[in-house]
Amino acid sequence: MKAVILNEAGSVGNLQLTEIDKPVIGNDEVLVKVVSVSINPVDVKSRAYEGVLNWIFEEKRPAILGWDISGEVVKTGNNVTGFKEGDEVFGMVNFFGRGNAYAEYVAAPAAHLALKPQNITHQQAAAASMAASTAYQALVDVAEIKEGNKVLIHAASGGVGHFAVQMAKHFGAYVIGISSGKNRDFVLSLGADEHIDYTTENFHEKVQEADIVIDTLQGKTLSDSVDVVKENGVIVTLPSPEIPEDIADKATQRNVNIEFMMVASKKETTEAIAGLLKQEVLKPFVYKTFPLEDIAMAHLEVETNRVTGKVIVNL
């Protein structure tokens, strides 16, 4: 089968399209013939930095990056009862770990997949794997969102952000989305009640008494977010578990909770996402698509940090 392998971290030129053997599935796995994968920031960081690549893949080389897949079941393990040959499935496979998604066939734990709703494409399903799971686990599992909460979402037009806006609105929150002005209409179309243009406005001066902040940026953004959250409110921060001491101290003084979260592959999350997709509560936005042969260009697109929604690679 075709697969994109990586022997060492570095530029996109290190991504090599080659032929390897199909994976052999275990008793609790299914073999998926992949139609689409999505490219996430963690894909780009794993490719670019040896420290991140070793953190996830240890010393095992070559590595096959990628975690988000959508495709068709072609074989099931002996213990698998929830899927059968021919089922269309999607999910975030083996995160945190070896997803091996940049390949024509992927051996995926059945517990990491859900049936793809018929009303969405494989491209949309792949788009809604890691990014939507991150938004869901941040809002539901960590922040415990409730109806009437005021939710501030940074990078609201991005992969995680555009799902978080839609979910928070679905759960009955008052949603404030932050993005550049050119994406204002997009963010409001997702259901945001209010938009802040970070290029011309300072959210620090416009927002008060937020219950929940979804922080995808850290740095000054995280520090300023502490000032706009009400007492006992929560900031879910995603980029790094390392919170600068001065920001942690400020949060303690204000009785604001900063919670680092790294998304994890969970059946209940994927099935919840599938339900929201089926109900059309979530509408994934596919920004650009590339063929597998141009996966390097897909990585470069994500590296711009100017993507609206998600970048998809089709096999």
Side-chain angles (χ1 to χ4, degrees), residues 151-166 175-180 183-184 186-188 190 192 194-196 198 214 216-217 307-309:
V151 179
L152 177 67
I153 298 169
H154 292 286
S157 60
V160 172
H162 92 289
F163 286 119
V165 170
Q166 295 174 74
V175 182
I176 304 168
I178 301 179
S179 75
S180 65
N183 288 321
R184 176 182 182 275
F186 174 66
V187 172
L188 292 174
L190 300 170
E194 193 177 329
H195 176 267
I196 296 173
Y198 73 86
I214 304 300
T216 57
L217 302 167
V307 171
T308 302

PDB file of all heavy atoms in Angstrom, residues 151-166 175-180 183-184 186-188 190 192 194-196 198 214 216-217 307-309:
ATOM      1  N   VAL A 151     -18.905  31.971  27.183  1.00  0.00           N
ATOM      2  CA  VAL A 151     -17.734  31.231  26.707  1.00  0.00           C
ATOM      3  C   VAL A 151     -16.957  32.090  25.717  1.00  0.00           C
ATOM      4  O   VAL A 151     -17.520  32.574  24.726  1.00  0.00           O
ATOM      5  CB  VAL A 151     -18.154  29.901  26.041  1.00  0.00           C
ATOM      6  CG1 VAL A 151     -16.926  29.151  25.534  1.00  0.00           C
ATOM      7  CG2 VAL A 151     -18.935  29.026  27.015  1.00  0.00           C
ATOM      8  N   LEU A 152     -15.682  32.265  25.975  1.00  0.00           N
ATOM      9  CA  LEU A 152     -14.783  33.012  25.095  1.00  0.00           C
ATOM     10  C   LEU A 152     -13.887  32.021  24.368  1.00  0.00           C
ATOM     11  O   LEU A 152     -13.227  31.188  25.003  1.00  0.00           O
ATOM     12  CB  LEU A 152     -13.935  33.985  25.915  1.00  0.00           C
ATOM     13  CG  LEU A 152     -12.887  34.805  25.158  1.00  0.00           C
ATOM     14  CD1 LEU A 152     -13.550  35.785  24.204  1.00  0.00           C
ATOM     15  CD2 LEU A 152     -11.975  35.545  26.136  1.00  0.00           C
ATOM     16  N   ILE A 153     -13.861  32.101  23.045  1.00  0.00           N
ATOM     17  CA  ILE A 153     -13.102  31.139  22.245  1.00  0.00           C
ATOM     18  C   ILE A 153     -12.082  31.886  21.396  1.00  0.00           C
ATOM     19  O   ILE A 153     -12.436  32.677  20.514  1.00  0.00           O
ATOM     20  CB  ILE A 153     -14.042  30.304  21.349  1.00  0.00           C
ATOM     21  CG1 ILE A 153     -15.013  29.495  22.233  1.00  0.00           C
ATOM     22  CG2 ILE A 153     -13.244  29.377  20.436  1.00  0.00           C
ATOM     23  CD1 ILE A 153     -16.140  28.854  21.488  1.00  0.00           C
ATOM     24  N   HIS A 154     -10.795  31.646  21.685  1.00  0.00           N
ATOM     25  CA  HIS A 154      -9.720  32.221  20.883  1.00  0.00           C
ATOM     26  C   HIS A 154      -9.560  31.412  19.591  1.00  0.00           C
ATOM     27  O   HIS A 154      -9.866  30.215  19.545  1.00  0.00           O
ATOM     28  CB  HIS A 154      -8.411  32.206  21.666  1.00  0.00           C
ATOM     29  CG  HIS A 154      -8.414  33.132  22.837  1.00  0.00           C
ATOM     30  ND1 HIS A 154      -8.318  34.493  22.711  1.00  0.00           N
ATOM     31  CD2 HIS A 154      -8.518  32.889  24.180  1.00  0.00           C
ATOM     32  CE1 HIS A 154      -8.354  35.060  23.903  1.00  0.00           C
ATOM     33  NE2 HIS A 154      -8.478  34.109  24.820  1.00  0.00           N
ATOM     34  N   ALA A 155      -9.055  32.073  18.543  1.00  0.00           N
ATOM     35  CA  ALA A 155      -8.868  31.417  17.236  1.00  0.00           C
ATOM     36  C   ALA A 155     -10.150  30.711  16.812  1.00  0.00           C
ATOM     37  O   ALA A 155     -10.149  29.546  16.429  1.00  0.00           O
ATOM     38  CB  ALA A 155      -7.683  30.443  17.282  1.00  0.00           C
ATOM     39  N   ALA A 156     -11.241  31.469  16.864  1.00  0.00           N
ATOM     40  CA  ALA A 156     -12.570  30.875  16.671  1.00  0.00           C
ATOM     41  C   ALA A 156     -12.835  30.419  15.244  1.00  0.00           C
ATOM     42  O   ALA A 156     -13.791  29.669  15.002  1.00  0.00           O
ATOM     43  CB  ALA A 156     -13.641  31.884  17.098  1.00  0.00           C
ATOM     44  N   SER A 157     -12.012  30.839  14.301  1.00  0.00           N
ATOM     45  CA  SER A 157     -12.210  30.400  12.920  1.00  0.00           C
ATOM     46  C   SER A 157     -11.333  29.208  12.559  1.00  0.00           C
ATOM     47  O   SER A 157     -11.416  28.672  11.457  1.00  0.00           O
ATOM     48  CB  SER A 157     -11.912  31.546  11.947  1.00  0.00           C
ATOM     49  OG  SER A 157     -10.573  31.987  12.085  1.00  0.00           O
ATOM     50  N   GLY A 158     -10.489  28.779  13.502  1.00  0.00           N
ATOM     51  CA  GLY A 158      -9.568  27.674  13.228  1.00  0.00           C
ATOM     52  C   GLY A 158     -10.199  26.309  13.399  1.00  0.00           C
ATOM     53  O   GLY A 158     -11.415  26.178  13.583  1.00  0.00           O
ATOM     54  N   GLY A 159      -9.371  25.279  13.362  1.00  0.00           N
ATOM     55  CA  GLY A 159      -9.875  23.907  13.432  1.00  0.00           C
ATOM     56  C   GLY A 159     -10.655  23.627  14.691  1.00  0.00           C
ATOM     57  O   GLY A 159     -11.854  23.321  14.647  1.00  0.00           O
ATOM     58  N   VAL A 160     -10.012  23.738  15.844  1.00  0.00           N
ATOM     59  CA  VAL A 160     -10.697  23.522  17.124  1.00  0.00           C
ATOM     60  C   VAL A 160     -11.742  24.608  17.355  1.00  0.00           C
ATOM     61  O   VAL A 160     -12.876  24.334  17.750  1.00  0.00           O
ATOM     62  CB  VAL A 160      -9.687  23.496  18.284  1.00  0.00           C
ATOM     63  CG1 VAL A 160     -10.404  23.459  19.628  1.00  0.00           C
ATOM     64  CG2 VAL A 160      -8.757  22.295  18.157  1.00  0.00           C
ATOM     65  N   GLY A 161     -11.364  25.852  17.078  1.00  0.00           N
ATOM     66  CA  GLY A 161     -12.232  26.979  17.383  1.00  0.00           C
ATOM     67  C   GLY A 161     -13.569  26.936  16.684  1.00  0.00           C
ATOM     68  O   GLY A 161     -14.612  27.213  17.297  1.00  0.00           O
ATOM     69  N   HIS A 162     -13.590  26.582  15.396  1.00  0.00           N
ATOM     70  CA  HIS A 162     -14.864  26.634  14.676  1.00  0.00           C
ATOM     71  C   HIS A 162     -15.818  25.533  15.138  1.00  0.00           C
ATOM     72  O   HIS A 162     -17.037  25.702  15.071  1.00  0.00           O
ATOM     73  CB  HIS A 162     -14.642  26.644  13.160  1.00  0.00           C
ATOM     74  CG  HIS A 162     -14.625  25.343  12.445  1.00  0.00           C
ATOM     75  ND1 HIS A 162     -13.589  24.427  12.577  1.00  0.00           N
ATOM     76  CD2 HIS A 162     -15.500  24.792  11.562  1.00  0.00           C
ATOM     77  CE1 HIS A 162     -13.842  23.382  11.792  1.00  0.00           C
ATOM     78  NE2 HIS A 162     -14.997  23.579  11.175  1.00  0.00           N
ATOM     79  N   PHE A 163     -15.267  24.437  15.666  1.00  0.00           N
ATOM     80  CA  PHE A 163     -16.135  23.427  16.288  1.00  0.00           C
ATOM     81  C   PHE A 163     -16.582  23.877  17.678  1.00  0.00           C
ATOM     82  O   PHE A 163     -17.730  23.656  18.072  1.00  0.00           O
ATOM     83  CB  PHE A 163     -15.412  22.081  16.380  1.00  0.00           C
ATOM     84  CG  PHE A 163     -15.280  21.364  15.077  1.00  0.00           C
ATOM     85  CD1 PHE A 163     -14.026  21.078  14.555  1.00  0.00           C
ATOM     86  CD2 PHE A 163     -16.399  20.972  14.358  1.00  0.00           C
ATOM     87  CE1 PHE A 163     -13.893  20.418  13.342  1.00  0.00           C
ATOM     88  CE2 PHE A 163     -16.281  20.307  13.127  1.00  0.00           C
ATOM     89  CZ  PHE A 163     -15.020  20.033  12.622  1.00  0.00           C
ATOM     90  N   ALA A 164     -15.685  24.492  18.427  1.00  0.00           N
ATOM     91  CA  ALA A 164     -16.014  24.932  19.786  1.00  0.00           C
ATOM     92  C   ALA A 164     -17.139  25.959  19.778  1.00  0.00           C
ATOM     93  O   ALA A 164     -18.023  25.927  20.648  1.00  0.00           O
ATOM     94  CB  ALA A 164     -14.769  25.499  20.473  1.00  0.00           C
ATOM     95  N   VAL A 165     -17.121  26.871  18.810  1.00  0.00           N
ATOM     96  CA  VAL A 165     -18.205  27.858  18.707  1.00  0.00           C
ATOM     97  C   VAL A 165     -19.540  27.162  18.515  1.00  0.00           C
ATOM     98  O   VAL A 165     -20.530  27.449  19.211  1.00  0.00           O
ATOM     99  CB  VAL A 165     -17.939  28.847  17.547  1.00  0.00           C
ATOM    100  CG1 VAL A 165     -19.176  29.708  17.289  1.00  0.00           C
ATOM    101  CG2 VAL A 165     -16.734  29.730  17.851  1.00  0.00           C
ATOM    102  N   GLN A 166     -19.586  26.223  17.579  1.00  0.00           N
ATOM    103  CA  GLN A 166     -20.847  25.534  17.284  1.00  0.00           C
ATOM    104  C   GLN A 166     -21.328  24.716  18.484  1.00  0.00           C
ATOM    105  O   GLN A 166     -22.516  24.713  18.806  1.00  0.00           O
ATOM    106  CB  GLN A 166     -20.661  24.622  16.065  1.00  0.00           C
ATOM    107  CG  GLN A 166     -20.364  25.379  14.780  1.00  0.00           C
ATOM    108  CD  GLN A 166     -20.049  24.442  13.622  1.00  0.00           C
ATOM    109  OE1 GLN A 166     -20.939  23.793  13.073  1.00  0.00           O
ATOM    110  NE2 GLN A 166     -18.781  24.364  13.252  1.00  0.00           N
ATOM    111  N   VAL A 175     -21.737  32.956  23.348  1.00  0.00           N
ATOM    112  CA  VAL A 175     -20.436  32.648  22.760  1.00  0.00           C
ATOM    113  C   VAL A 175     -19.797  33.900  22.165  1.00  0.00           C
ATOM    114  O   VAL A 175     -20.409  34.594  21.351  1.00  0.00           O
ATOM    115  CB  VAL A 175     -20.565  31.566  21.672  1.00  0.00           C
ATOM    116  CG1 VAL A 175     -19.193  31.217  21.098  1.00  0.00           C
ATOM    117  CG2 VAL A 175     -21.242  30.315  22.235  1.00  0.00           C
ATOM    118  N   ILE A 176     -18.558  34.159  22.580  1.00  0.00           N
ATOM    119  CA  ILE A 176     -17.760  35.246  22.026  1.00  0.00           C
ATOM    120  C   ILE A 176     -16.594  34.616  21.275  1.00  0.00           C
ATOM    121  O   ILE A 176     -15.782  33.893  21.860  1.00  0.00           O
ATOM    122  CB  ILE A 176     -17.222  36.168  23.130  1.00  0.00           C
ATOM    123  CG1 ILE A 176     -18.368  36.703  23.991  1.00  0.00           C
ATOM    124  CG2 ILE A 176     -16.434  37.337  22.517  1.00  0.00           C
ATOM    125  CD1 ILE A 176     -17.908  37.392  25.264  1.00  0.00           C
ATOM    126  N   GLY A 177     -16.510  34.878  19.983  1.00  0.00           N
ATOM    127  CA  GLY A 177     -15.445  34.318  19.164  1.00  0.00           C
ATOM    128  C   GLY A 177     -14.441  35.370  18.772  1.00  0.00           C
ATOM    129  O   GLY A 177     -14.810  36.476  18.361  1.00  0.00           O
ATOM    130  N   ILE A 178     -13.165  35.040  18.890  1.00  0.00           N
ATOM    131  CA  ILE A 178     -12.088  35.956  18.516  1.00  0.00           C
ATOM    132  C   ILE A 178     -11.380  35.420  17.273  1.00  0.00           C
ATOM    133  O   ILE A 178     -10.985  34.247  17.221  1.00  0.00           O
ATOM    134  CB  ILE A 178     -11.071  36.116  19.659  1.00  0.00           C
ATOM    135  CG1 ILE A 178     -11.760  36.647  20.917  1.00  0.00           C
ATOM    136  CG2 ILE A 178      -9.931  37.052  19.242  1.00  0.00           C
ATOM    137  CD1 ILE A 178     -10.829  36.816  22.106  1.00  0.00           C
ATOM    138  N   SER A 179     -11.254  36.277  16.281  1.00  0.00           N
ATOM    139  CA  SER A 179     -10.492  35.939  15.075  1.00  0.00           C
ATOM    140  C   SER A 179     -10.098  37.238  14.403  1.00  0.00           C
ATOM    141  O   SER A 179     -10.400  38.328  14.906  1.00  0.00           O
ATOM    142  CB  SER A 179     -11.332  35.086  14.116  1.00  0.00           C
ATOM    143  OG  SER A 179     -12.304  35.877  13.441  1.00  0.00           O
ATOM    144  N   SER A 180      -9.457  37.168  13.254  1.00  0.00           N
ATOM    145  CA  SER A 180      -9.197  38.375  12.481  1.00  0.00           C
ATOM    146  C   SER A 180     -10.508  38.860  11.868  1.00  0.00           C
ATOM    147  O   SER A 180     -11.472  38.105  11.726  1.00  0.00           O
ATOM    148  CB  SER A 180      -8.179  38.105  11.378  1.00  0.00           C
ATOM    149  OG  SER A 180      -8.709  37.189  10.438  1.00  0.00           O
ATOM    150  N   ASN A 183     -12.504  37.055   9.049  1.00  0.00           N
ATOM    151  CA  ASN A 183     -13.301  35.858   9.357  1.00  0.00           C
ATOM    152  C   ASN A 183     -14.502  36.162  10.259  1.00  0.00           C
ATOM    153  O   ASN A 183     -15.138  35.241  10.779  1.00  0.00           O
ATOM    154  CB  ASN A 183     -12.419  34.794  10.018  1.00  0.00           C
ATOM    155  CG  ASN A 183     -11.467  34.163   9.032  1.00  0.00           C
ATOM    156  OD1 ASN A 183     -11.818  33.908   7.888  1.00  0.00           O
ATOM    157  ND2 ASN A 183     -10.238  33.907   9.466  1.00  0.00           N
ATOM    158  N   ARG A 184     -14.800  37.440  10.441  1.00  0.00           N
ATOM    159  CA  ARG A 184     -15.910  37.835  11.309  1.00  0.00           C
ATOM    160  C   ARG A 184     -17.223  37.172  10.889  1.00  0.00           C
ATOM    161  O   ARG A 184     -17.911  36.549  11.717  1.00  0.00           O
ATOM    162  CB  ARG A 184     -16.079  39.360  11.300  1.00  0.00           C
ATOM    163  CG  ARG A 184     -17.275  39.862  12.102  1.00  0.00           C
ATOM    164  CD  ARG A 184     -17.420  41.378  12.008  1.00  0.00           C
ATOM    165  NE  ARG A 184     -18.544  41.844  12.824  1.00  0.00           N
ATOM    166  CZ  ARG A 184     -19.803  41.865  12.407  1.00  0.00           C
ATOM    167  NH1 ARG A 184     -20.111  41.450  11.168  1.00  0.00           N
ATOM    168  NH2 ARG A 184     -20.763  42.300  13.216  1.00  0.00           N
ATOM    169  N   PHE A 186     -17.760  34.586   9.082  1.00  0.00           N
ATOM    170  CA  PHE A 186     -17.687  33.129   9.244  1.00  0.00           C
ATOM    171  C   PHE A 186     -17.956  32.734  10.689  1.00  0.00           C
ATOM    172  O   PHE A 186     -18.770  31.849  10.968  1.00  0.00           O
ATOM    173  CB  PHE A 186     -16.314  32.621   8.793  1.00  0.00           C
ATOM    174  CG  PHE A 186     -16.081  31.155   9.045  1.00  0.00           C
ATOM    175  CD1 PHE A 186     -16.826  30.187   8.378  1.00  0.00           C
ATOM    176  CD2 PHE A 186     -15.119  30.733   9.946  1.00  0.00           C
ATOM    177  CE1 PHE A 186     -16.615  28.832   8.617  1.00  0.00           C
ATOM    178  CE2 PHE A 186     -14.888  29.396  10.188  1.00  0.00           C
ATOM    179  CZ  PHE A 186     -15.642  28.435   9.520  1.00  0.00           C
ATOM    180  N   VAL A 187     -17.293  33.413  11.629  1.00  0.00           N
ATOM    181  CA  VAL A 187     -17.461  33.089  13.049  1.00  0.00           C
ATOM    182  C   VAL A 187     -18.904  33.337  13.495  1.00  0.00           C
ATOM    183  O   VAL A 187     -19.494  32.521  14.210  1.00  0.00           O
ATOM    184  CB  VAL A 187     -16.460  33.889  13.908  1.00  0.00           C
ATOM    185  CG1 VAL A 187     -16.753  33.716  15.397  1.00  0.00           C
ATOM    186  CG2 VAL A 187     -15.026  33.443  13.592  1.00  0.00           C
ATOM    187  N   LEU A 188     -19.491  34.430  13.058  1.00  0.00           N
ATOM    188  CA  LEU A 188     -20.886  34.705  13.421  1.00  0.00           C
ATOM    189  C   LEU A 188     -21.829  33.689  12.785  1.00  0.00           C
ATOM    190  O   LEU A 188     -22.839  33.298  13.385  1.00  0.00           O
ATOM    191  CB  LEU A 188     -21.264  36.133  13.005  1.00  0.00           C
ATOM    192  CG  LEU A 188     -20.558  37.254  13.779  1.00  0.00           C
ATOM    193  CD1 LEU A 188     -20.903  38.615  13.188  1.00  0.00           C
ATOM    194  CD2 LEU A 188     -20.921  37.218  15.267  1.00  0.00           C
ATOM    195  N   LEU A 190     -21.289  30.642  12.451  1.00  0.00           N
ATOM    196  CA  LEU A 190     -21.200  29.409  13.235  1.00  0.00           C
ATOM    197  C   LEU A 190     -22.104  29.446  14.460  1.00  0.00           C
ATOM    198  O   LEU A 190     -22.319  28.417  15.108  1.00  0.00           O
ATOM    199  CB  LEU A 190     -19.759  29.178  13.698  1.00  0.00           C
ATOM    200  CG  LEU A 190     -18.699  29.026  12.603  1.00  0.00           C
ATOM    201  CD1 LEU A 190     -17.297  29.040  13.207  1.00  0.00           C
ATOM    202  CD2 LEU A 190     -18.917  27.737  11.809  1.00  0.00           C
ATOM    203  N   ALA A 192     -21.779  32.275  16.853  1.00  0.00           N
ATOM    204  CA  ALA A 192     -21.247  33.173  17.878  1.00  0.00           C
ATOM    205  C   ALA A 192     -22.198  34.354  18.078  1.00  0.00           C
ATOM    206  O   ALA A 192     -22.741  34.905  17.125  1.00  0.00           O
ATOM    207  CB  ALA A 192     -19.862  33.663  17.489  1.00  0.00           C
ATOM    208  N   GLU A 194     -21.155  37.119  19.542  1.00  0.00           N
ATOM    209  CA  GLU A 194     -20.330  38.327  19.501  1.00  0.00           C
ATOM    210  C   GLU A 194     -18.995  37.962  18.871  1.00  0.00           C
ATOM    211  O   GLU A 194     -18.504  36.843  19.038  1.00  0.00           O
ATOM    212  CB  GLU A 194     -20.125  38.816  20.938  1.00  0.00           C
ATOM    213  CG  GLU A 194     -19.569  40.187  21.109  1.00  0.00           C
ATOM    214  CD  GLU A 194     -19.474  40.572  22.590  1.00  0.00           C
ATOM    215  OE1 GLU A 194     -20.307  40.099  23.403  1.00  0.00           O
ATOM    216  OE2 GLU A 194     -18.545  41.326  22.933  1.00  0.00           O
ATOM    217  N   HIS A 195     -18.413  38.911  18.126  1.00  0.00           N
ATOM    218  CA  HIS A 195     -17.110  38.688  17.508  1.00  0.00           C
ATOM    219  C   HIS A 195     -16.160  39.802  17.916  1.00  0.00           C
ATOM    220  O   HIS A 195     -16.542  40.970  17.999  1.00  0.00           O
ATOM    221  CB  HIS A 195     -17.216  38.653  15.977  1.00  0.00           C
ATOM    222  CG  HIS A 195     -15.886  38.526  15.298  1.00  0.00           C
ATOM    223  ND1 HIS A 195     -15.146  39.618  14.861  1.00  0.00           N
ATOM    224  CD2 HIS A 195     -15.142  37.433  15.021  1.00  0.00           C
ATOM    225  CE1 HIS A 195     -14.018  39.182  14.324  1.00  0.00           C
ATOM    226  NE2 HIS A 195     -13.987  37.874  14.403  1.00  0.00           N
ATOM    227  N   ILE A 196     -14.914  39.430  18.194  1.00  0.00           N
ATOM    228  CA  ILE A 196     -13.866  40.399  18.485  1.00  0.00           C
ATOM    229  C   ILE A 196     -12.738  40.196  17.483  1.00  0.00           C
ATOM    230  O   ILE A 196     -12.244  39.073  17.305  1.00  0.00           O
ATOM    231  CB  ILE A 196     -13.342  40.244  19.922  1.00  0.00           C
ATOM    232  CG1 ILE A 196     -14.462  40.564  20.922  1.00  0.00           C
ATOM    233  CG2 ILE A 196     -12.135  41.155  20.168  1.00  0.00           C
ATOM    234  CD1 ILE A 196     -14.096  40.290  22.369  1.00  0.00           C
ATOM    235  N   TYR A 198      -9.116  40.517  16.751  1.00  0.00           N
ATOM    236  CA  TYR A 198      -7.901  40.688  17.559  1.00  0.00           C
ATOM    237  C   TYR A 198      -6.914  41.656  16.914  1.00  0.00           C
ATOM    238  O   TYR A 198      -6.007  42.161  17.586  1.00  0.00           O
ATOM    239  CB  TYR A 198      -7.226  39.339  17.832  1.00  0.00           C
ATOM    240  CG  TYR A 198      -6.524  38.724  16.641  1.00  0.00           C
ATOM    241  CD1 TYR A 198      -5.212  39.064  16.325  1.00  0.00           C
ATOM    242  CD2 TYR A 198      -7.162  37.792  15.832  1.00  0.00           C
ATOM    243  CE1 TYR A 198      -4.565  38.497  15.239  1.00  0.00           C
ATOM    244  CE2 TYR A 198      -6.525  37.229  14.740  1.00  0.00           C
ATOM    245  CZ  TYR A 198      -5.235  37.586  14.445  1.00  0.00           C
ATOM    246  OH  TYR A 198      -4.600  37.030  13.367  1.00  0.00           O
ATOM    247  N   ILE A 214     -11.575  29.051  26.026  1.00  0.00           N
ATOM    248  CA  ILE A 214     -10.826  28.030  25.297  1.00  0.00           C
ATOM    249  C   ILE A 214      -9.614  28.722  24.688  1.00  0.00           C
ATOM    250  O   ILE A 214      -9.739  29.559  23.783  1.00  0.00           O
ATOM    251  CB  ILE A 214     -11.677  27.364  24.192  1.00  0.00           C
ATOM    252  CG1 ILE A 214     -12.961  26.764  24.778  1.00  0.00           C
ATOM    253  CG2 ILE A 214     -10.865  26.290  23.470  1.00  0.00           C
ATOM    254  CD1 ILE A 214     -12.752  25.692  25.826  1.00  0.00           C
ATOM    255  N   THR A 216      -6.126  28.534  22.711  1.00  0.00           N
ATOM    256  CA  THR A 216      -5.311  27.742  21.794  1.00  0.00           C
ATOM    257  C   THR A 216      -3.963  28.402  21.513  1.00  0.00           C
ATOM    258  O   THR A 216      -3.233  27.942  20.638  1.00  0.00           O
ATOM    259  CB  THR A 216      -6.050  27.562  20.456  1.00  0.00           C
ATOM    260  OG1 THR A 216      -6.346  28.869  19.922  1.00  0.00           O
ATOM    261  CG2 THR A 216      -7.354  26.805  20.638  1.00  0.00           C
ATOM    262  N   LEU A 217      -3.639  29.471  22.256  1.00  0.00           N
ATOM    263  CA  LEU A 217      -2.483  30.283  21.895  1.00  0.00           C
ATOM    264  C   LEU A 217      -1.445  30.416  23.005  1.00  0.00           C
ATOM    265  O   LEU A 217      -0.252  30.492  22.745  1.00  0.00           O
ATOM    266  CB  LEU A 217      -2.954  31.688  21.477  1.00  0.00           C
ATOM    267  CG  LEU A 217      -3.951  31.710  20.307  1.00  0.00           C
ATOM    268  CD1 LEU A 217      -4.583  33.087  20.189  1.00  0.00           C
ATOM    269  CD2 LEU A 217      -3.254  31.318  19.019  1.00  0.00           C
ATOM    270  N   VAL A 307      -5.322  29.119   8.575  1.00  0.00           N
ATOM    271  CA  VAL A 307      -6.337  28.218   8.017  1.00  0.00           C
ATOM    272  C   VAL A 307      -7.685  28.471   8.679  1.00  0.00           C
ATOM    273  O   VAL A 307      -7.787  28.557   9.907  1.00  0.00           O
ATOM    274  CB  VAL A 307      -5.911  26.745   8.206  1.00  0.00           C
ATOM    275  CG1 VAL A 307      -7.052  25.803   7.843  1.00  0.00           C
ATOM    276  CG2 VAL A 307      -4.684  26.447   7.375  1.00  0.00           C
ATOM    277  N   THR A 308      -8.711  28.598   7.861  1.00  0.00           N
ATOM    278  CA  THR A 308     -10.080  28.649   8.347  1.00  0.00           C
ATOM    279  C   THR A 308     -10.635  27.233   8.291  1.00  0.00           C
ATOM    280  O   THR A 308     -10.694  26.643   7.211  1.00  0.00           O
ATOM    281  CB  THR A 308     -10.940  29.584   7.477  1.00  0.00           C
ATOM    282  OG1 THR A 308     -10.354  30.879   7.473  1.00  0.00           O
ATOM    283  CG2 THR A 308     -12.360  29.673   8.013  1.00  0.00           C
ATOM    284  N   GLY A 309     -11.017  26.663   9.436  1.00  0.00           N
ATOM    285  CA  GLY A 309     -11.492  25.285   9.433  1.00  0.00           C
ATOM    286  C   GLY A 309     -10.336  24.303   9.323  1.00  0.00           C
ATOM    287  O   GLY A 309      -9.336  24.415  10.031  1.00  0.00           O
TER     288      GLY A 309
END
